[in-house]
PDB file of all heavy atoms in Angstrom:
ATOM      1  N   TRP A  90      -8.445   2.952  -5.493  1.00 92.00           N
ATOM      2  CA  TRP A  90      -6.997   3.162  -5.472  1.00 92.00           C
ATOM      3  C   TRP A  90      -6.298   2.246  -6.457  1.00 92.00           C
ATOM      4  O   TRP A  90      -5.194   2.547  -6.913  1.00 92.00           O
ATOM      5  CB  TRP A  90      -6.469   2.950  -4.054  1.00 92.00           C
ATOM      6  CG  TRP A  90      -6.673   4.153  -3.189  1.00 92.00           C
ATOM      7  CD1 TRP A  90      -7.661   4.346  -2.278  1.00 92.00           C
ATOM      8  CD2 TRP A  90      -5.876   5.334  -3.168  1.00 92.00           C
ATOM      9  NE1 TRP A  90      -7.522   5.577  -1.690  1.00 92.00           N
ATOM     10  CE2 TRP A  90      -6.431   6.204  -2.203  1.00 92.00           C
ATOM     11  CE3 TRP A  90      -4.739   5.750  -3.857  1.00 92.00           C
ATOM     12  CZ2 TRP A  90      -5.892   7.464  -1.931  1.00 92.00           C
ATOM     13  CZ3 TRP A  90      -4.193   7.005  -3.574  1.00 92.00           C
ATOM     14  CH2 TRP A  90      -4.772   7.847  -2.627  1.00 92.00           C
ATOM     15  N   ALA A  91      -6.914   1.127  -6.804  1.00 91.00           N
ATOM     16  CA  ALA A  91      -6.316   0.236  -7.807  1.00 91.00           C
ATOM     17  C   ALA A  91      -6.202   0.949  -9.147  1.00 91.00           C
ATOM     18  O   ALA A  91      -5.172   0.883  -9.829  1.00 91.00           O
ATOM     19  CB  ALA A  91      -7.141  -1.038  -7.941  1.00 91.00           C
ATOM     20  N   TYR A  92      -7.267   1.665  -9.533  1.00 94.00           N
ATOM     21  CA  TYR A  92      -7.231   2.418 -10.785  1.00 94.00           C
ATOM     22  C   TYR A  92      -6.235   3.571 -10.690  1.00 94.00           C
ATOM     23  O   TYR A  92      -5.598   3.935 -11.684  1.00 94.00           O
ATOM     24  CB  TYR A  92      -8.624   2.931 -11.133  1.00 94.00           C
ATOM     25  CG  TYR A  92      -9.573   1.853 -11.596  1.00 94.00           C
ATOM     26  CD1 TYR A  92     -10.774   1.616 -10.935  1.00 94.00           C
ATOM     27  CD2 TYR A  92      -9.271   1.068 -12.702  1.00 94.00           C
ATOM     28  CE1 TYR A  92     -11.635   0.620 -11.351  1.00 94.00           C
ATOM     29  CE2 TYR A  92     -10.135   0.064 -13.128  1.00 94.00           C
ATOM     30  CZ  TYR A  92     -11.313  -0.153 -12.455  1.00 94.00           C
ATOM     31  OH  TYR A  92     -12.161  -1.150 -12.867  1.00 94.00           O
ATOM     32  N   VAL A  93      -6.123   4.151  -9.506  1.00 95.00           N
ATOM     33  CA  VAL A  93      -5.137   5.224  -9.309  1.00 95.00           C
ATOM     34  C   VAL A  93      -3.719   4.686  -9.513  1.00 95.00           C
ATOM     35  O   VAL A  93      -2.876   5.340 -10.145  1.00 95.00           O
ATOM     36  CB  VAL A  93      -5.280   5.836  -7.898  1.00 95.00           C
ATOM     37  CG1 VAL A  93      -4.133   6.820  -7.617  1.00 95.00           C
ATOM     38  CG2 VAL A  93      -6.611   6.552  -7.769  1.00 95.00           C
ATOM     39  N   LEU A  94      -3.456   3.492  -9.012  1.00 94.00           N
ATOM     40  CA  LEU A  94      -2.129   2.894  -9.178  1.00 94.00           C
ATOM     41  C   LEU A  94      -1.837   2.594 -10.645  1.00 94.00           C
ATOM     42  O   LEU A  94      -0.714   2.802 -11.124  1.00 94.00           O
ATOM     43  CB  LEU A  94      -2.026   1.618  -8.340  1.00 94.00           C
ATOM     44  CG  LEU A  94      -2.008   1.825  -6.822  1.00 94.00           C
ATOM     45  CD1 LEU A  94      -2.093   0.495  -6.095  1.00 94.00           C
ATOM     46  CD2 LEU A  94      -0.750   2.577  -6.390  1.00 94.00           C
ATOM     47  N   VAL A  95      -2.841   2.120 -11.367  1.00 93.00           N
ATOM     48  CA  VAL A  95      -2.657   1.880 -12.803  1.00 93.00           C
ATOM     49  C   VAL A  95      -2.387   3.197 -13.522  1.00 93.00           C
ATOM     50  O   VAL A  95      -1.486   3.291 -14.375  1.00 93.00           O
ATOM     51  CB  VAL A  95      -3.898   1.188 -13.398  1.00 93.00           C
ATOM     52  CG1 VAL A  95      -3.782   1.106 -14.926  1.00 93.00           C
ATOM     53  CG2 VAL A  95      -4.067  -0.207 -12.815  1.00 93.00           C
ATOM     54  N   ALA A  96      -3.155   4.232 -13.177  1.00 95.00           N
ATOM     55  CA  ALA A  96      -2.948   5.548 -13.797  1.00 95.00           C
ATOM     56  C   ALA A  96      -1.572   6.112 -13.461  1.00 95.00           C
ATOM     57  O   ALA A  96      -0.934   6.760 -14.306  1.00 95.00           O
ATOM     58  CB  ALA A  96      -4.044   6.513 -13.331  1.00 95.00           C
ATOM     59  N   SER A  97      -1.100   5.869 -12.237  1.00 95.00           N
ATOM     60  CA  SER A  97       0.232   6.364 -11.857  1.00 95.00           C
ATOM     61  C   SER A  97       1.324   5.650 -12.644  1.00 95.00           C
ATOM     62  O   SER A  97       2.361   6.244 -12.973  1.00 95.00           O
ATOM     63  CB  SER A  97       0.457   6.185 -10.353  1.00 95.00           C
ATOM     64  OG  SER A  97       0.543   4.807 -10.002  1.00 95.00           O
ATOM     65  N   LEU A  98       1.110   4.375 -12.961  1.00 93.00           N
ATOM     66  CA  LEU A  98       2.047   3.645 -13.815  1.00 93.00           C
ATOM     67  C   LEU A  98       2.136   4.286 -15.199  1.00 93.00           C
ATOM     68  O   LEU A  98       3.225   4.509 -15.737  1.00 93.00           O
ATOM     69  CB  LEU A  98       1.611   2.191 -13.952  1.00 93.00           C
ATOM     70  CG  LEU A  98       2.038   1.209 -12.865  1.00 93.00           C
ATOM     71  CD1 LEU A  98       1.355  -0.133 -13.077  1.00 93.00           C
ATOM     72  CD2 LEU A  98       3.547   1.030 -12.843  1.00 93.00           C
ATOM     73  N   LEU A  99       0.977   4.591 -15.766  1.00 93.00           N
ATOM     74  CA  LEU A  99       0.950   5.222 -17.084  1.00 93.00           C
ATOM     75  C   LEU A  99       1.619   6.591 -17.040  1.00 93.00           C
ATOM     76  O   LEU A  99       2.379   6.959 -17.956  1.00 93.00           O
ATOM     77  CB  LEU A  99      -0.498   5.356 -17.568  1.00 93.00           C
ATOM     78  CG  LEU A  99      -1.263   4.040 -17.783  1.00 93.00           C
ATOM     79  CD1 LEU A  99      -2.715   4.323 -18.166  1.00 93.00           C
ATOM     80  CD2 LEU A  99      -0.585   3.199 -18.855  1.00 93.00           C
ATOM     81  N   ALA A 100       1.350   7.353 -15.960  1.00 94.00           N
ATOM     82  CA  ALA A 100       1.968   8.679 -15.829  1.00 94.00           C
ATOM     83  C   ALA A 100       3.480   8.571 -15.729  1.00 94.00           C
ATOM     84  O   ALA A 100       4.224   9.368 -16.329  1.00 94.00           O
ATOM     85  CB  ALA A 100       1.404   9.392 -14.593  1.00 94.00           C
ATOM     86  N   ALA A 101       3.963   7.578 -14.987  1.00 92.00           N
ATOM     87  CA  ALA A 101       5.413   7.396 -14.842  1.00 92.00           C
ATOM     88  C   ALA A 101       6.047   6.969 -16.162  1.00 92.00           C
ATOM     89  O   ALA A 101       7.147   7.425 -16.516  1.00 92.00           O
ATOM     90  CB  ALA A 101       5.697   6.359 -13.751  1.00 92.00           C
ATOM     91  N   ILE A 102       5.363   6.104 -16.909  1.00 90.00           N
ATOM     92  CA  ILE A 102       5.889   5.638 -18.196  1.00 90.00           C
ATOM     93  C   ILE A 102       6.029   6.804 -19.175  1.00 90.00           C
ATOM     94  O   ILE A 102       7.005   6.895 -19.922  1.00 90.00           O
ATOM     95  CB  ILE A 102       4.978   4.540 -18.776  1.00 90.00           C
ATOM     96  CG1 ILE A 102       5.108   3.260 -17.940  1.00 90.00           C
ATOM     97  CG2 ILE A 102       5.308   4.255 -20.236  1.00 90.00           C
ATOM     98  CD1 ILE A 102       4.092   2.191 -18.282  1.00 90.00           C
ATOM     99  N   VAL A 103       5.051   7.713 -19.152  1.00 92.00           N
ATOM    100  CA  VAL A 103       5.108   8.881 -20.041  1.00 92.00           C
ATOM    101  C   VAL A 103       6.154   9.887 -19.559  1.00 92.00           C
ATOM    102  O   VAL A 103       6.885  10.472 -20.372  1.00 92.00           O
ATOM    103  CB  VAL A 103       3.712   9.551 -20.120  1.00 92.00           C
ATOM    104  CG1 VAL A 103       3.800  10.881 -20.879  1.00 92.00           C
ATOM    105  CG2 VAL A 103       2.712   8.628 -20.794  1.00 92.00           C
TER     106      VAL A 103
END
Side-chain angles (χ1 to χ4, degrees):
W90 279 100
Y92 288 122
V93 172
L94 291 172
V95 173
S97 68
L98 275 172
L99 297 176
I102 290 170
V103 172

